[in-house]
Amino acid sequence: MDFFELTTDPLDVGEVARRVVPQECGATVTLDGYVRQFTKGRETLHLIYEAYEPMAVKEMQKIIEQAKSQFEIEHVGIMHRLGKLEIGETSVVISVAAPHRKAAFEACEWLIRKLKRTVPIWKKEVYANGEEWIEGDTSPPSLPISGS
Amino acid sequence: MDFFELTTDPLDVGEVARRVVPQECGATVTLDGYVRQFTKGRETLHLIYEAYEPMAVKEMQKIIEQAKSQFEIEHVGIMHRLGKLEIGETSVVISVAAPHRKAAFEACEWLIRKLKRTVPIWKKEVYANGEEWIEGDTSPPSLPISGS
Amino acid sequence: MKVRVLFFGATADLVGNRELTLTCADTGTADDILHLILKDFPQLQDQKLLLSINQEYAYGFESVREGDEMAIFTAVSGG
Amino acid sequence: MKVRVLFFGATADLVGNRELTLTCADTGTADDILHLILKDFPQLQDQKLLLSINQEYAYGFESVREGDEMAIFTAVSGG
């Protein structure tokens, strides 16, 4: 069973990994992203994640559908945490179950890259002396850039 | 902190993933292998895993050292379950923490492939009408094959 | 027509609001709405902005209709 | 000299034992030990066998010494 959820509760990596397991599959690959204490030498106190929730859910569903059409995988589970996260807490978990582990590795890596580029979630880093909304490195290639 | 353990207790994927996390890293990739109900159409009732324990621990340590010299990764955790496993139970968990997720994906995939070829653990599949020790697909390339 | 415009993260902070309702000409594109917003909130001009209409990524030339939900935000940074 | 020989999985089942202690000539290789074992347990001959000496994979030409721990097993299948 696929799932894609946003939650303000702490994430349980093992629970996500177990939920995607069908009895026909042999392996699950799980990506677990978490709050770093240091980014480029600067200390983060905590993070705030905010989402455009209904659109984020739609975009998560889209990337799962794309992954399932591109890779030989069975089930995908994505959970992204929102709100305030302390250092070391898990922000995102992506689990992919597949009959063969190679496809699971490839799909999981593809999904996290895609999620970071397309799912409307934003991260604010809070430092000792300020805070900053982080802008994604790259824009999704098919997206318009507007503005002045 | 790296670790490599054999246990007859049930494995907790999330616990393994969390134990390898250093504060400087941003991502952990976890491979979770488990007991399939069907292999090539044949139904498995349960599995028995047996290890040459002291050698298995040494070989796990070796592949971790090799992975750390080949990939830009921080920590590796490997746990392999032994004894009787029911359908759906986790047999092996490998977690790799790295500053950049690409290296974590590559190292985790390399480690499971290497573990399956070199760590002295054997699996017996028990069917409704018999049982069979499974022989590994390939022998480690540097290993001698003896016998008649 | 009336159009709801949502802001998130950096754009919500710059606008000082998470949602506005705009009244504008009945035939308009996302860019038309964006330019109305930029007139009131010039502080958005330094941002690379992405647009969505009804929770789908949209180009500036796409039409916006009465009751649509538009959103204006910077490149996403989840994960 | 005396050498401990361990069996696991398929080889333990075929030999009907998990461990034997062999007494043999003082200068011998892993292959020498293996051939003594195969004489007593010809049922092992159909297997592709791997060898270890003191918990390290070993070639058949490697020497075995008094007190060494040798193991004979089929290709591993963990994971």
Side-chain angles (χ1 to χ4, degrees), chain B residues 111-129:
Chain B
L111 279 159
I112 181 65
R113 197 165 64 237
K114 202 78 180 167
L115 178 144
K116 283 173 171 265
R117 297 175 73 188
T118 67
V119 178
I121 298 176
W122 300 269
K123 170 166 66 183
K124 181 160 71 175
E125 292 187 355
V126 179
Y127 315 109
N129 57 348

Side-chain angles (χ1 to χ4, degrees), chain A residues 21-38:
Chain A
V21 175
Q23 290 188 323
E24 300 74 29
C25 283
T28 300
V29 171
T30 302
L31 182 283
D32 168 16
Y34 34 82
V35 180
R36 267 188 272 208
Q37 186 166 15
F38 292 96

Side-chain angles (χ1 to χ4, degrees), chain A residues 49-52 54-55 58-59 62 80 91-92 112 115-124 133-136 138-140 142-148, chain C residues 6-10 12-13 18 31 34-35 38 45-52 54-60 69-71 73-79:
Chain A
Y49 280 95
E50 175 178 316
Y52 183 5
M55 180 169 167
K58 285 183 191 178
E59 291 293 324
K62 277 185 203 168
H80 202 298
S91 53
V92 63
I112 181 64
L115 177 143
K116 283 173 171 265
R117 298 176 72 188
T118 66
V119 177
I121 298 176
W122 299 269
K123 169 166 67 180
K124 181 160 72 175
W133 282 106
I134 304 303
E135 195 167 347
T138 45
S139 304
S142 62
L143 297 182
I145 301 291
S146 289
S148 64
Chain C
L6 309 181
F7 304 93
F8 296 92
D13 280 5
R18 308 188 69 78
D31 268 342
L34 180 62
H35 288 127
L38 289 175
Q45 291 201 349
D46 295 334
Q47 306 292 316
K48 278 194 171 180
L49 299 173
L50 302 180
L51 305 175
S52 69
N54 296 333
Q55 304 163 7
E56 302 268 354
Y57 283 106
Y59 291 98
E69 176 181 299
M70 190 170 146
F73 47 80
T74 56
V76 306
S77 54

Side-chain angles (χ1 to χ4, degrees), chain B residues 81-141:
Chain B
R81 183 140 171 229
L82 300 178
K84 181 178 174 182
L85 273 76
E86 303 295 339
I87 300 304
E89 285 197 293
T90 294
S91 54
V92 63
V93 180
I94 301 180
S95 278
V96 180
H100 300 288
R101 64 178 186 276
K102 190 171 166 49
F105 275 109
E106 287 173 354
C108 190
E109 193 170 4
W110 183 89
L111 279 159
I112 181 65
R113 197 165 64 237
K114 202 78 180 167
L115 178 144
K116 283 173 171 265
R117 297 175 73 188
T118 67
V119 178
I121 298 176
W122 300 269
K123 170 166 66 183
K124 181 160 71 175
E125 292 187 355
V126 179
Y127 315 109
N129 57 348
E131 54 180 51
E132 181 184 8
W133 282 104
I134 304 304
E135 196 168 345
D137 287 340
T138 45
S139 304

Side-chain angles (χ1 to χ4, degrees), chain B residues 7-24:
Chain B
T7 176
T8 54
D9 294 331
L11 296 181
D12 177 337
V13 181
E15 188 220 315
V16 176
R18 300 307 289 169
R19 274 175 65 187
V20 295
V21 175
Q23 290 188 323
E24 301 72 30

Side-chain angles (χ1 to χ4, degrees), chain A residues 62-91:
Chain A
K62 277 185 203 168
I63 64 176
I64 290 176
E65 280 162 15
Q66 271 182 275
K68 291 175 80 173
S69 75
Q70 280 180 50
F71 303 98
E72 302 248 329
I73 57 177
E74 201 70 28
H75 294 317
V76 175
I78 301 180
M79 290 193 76
H80 202 298
R81 183 140 171 230
L82 300 178
K84 181 179 173 182
L85 274 78
E86 303 295 339
I87 301 303
E89 285 198 293
T90 294
S91 53

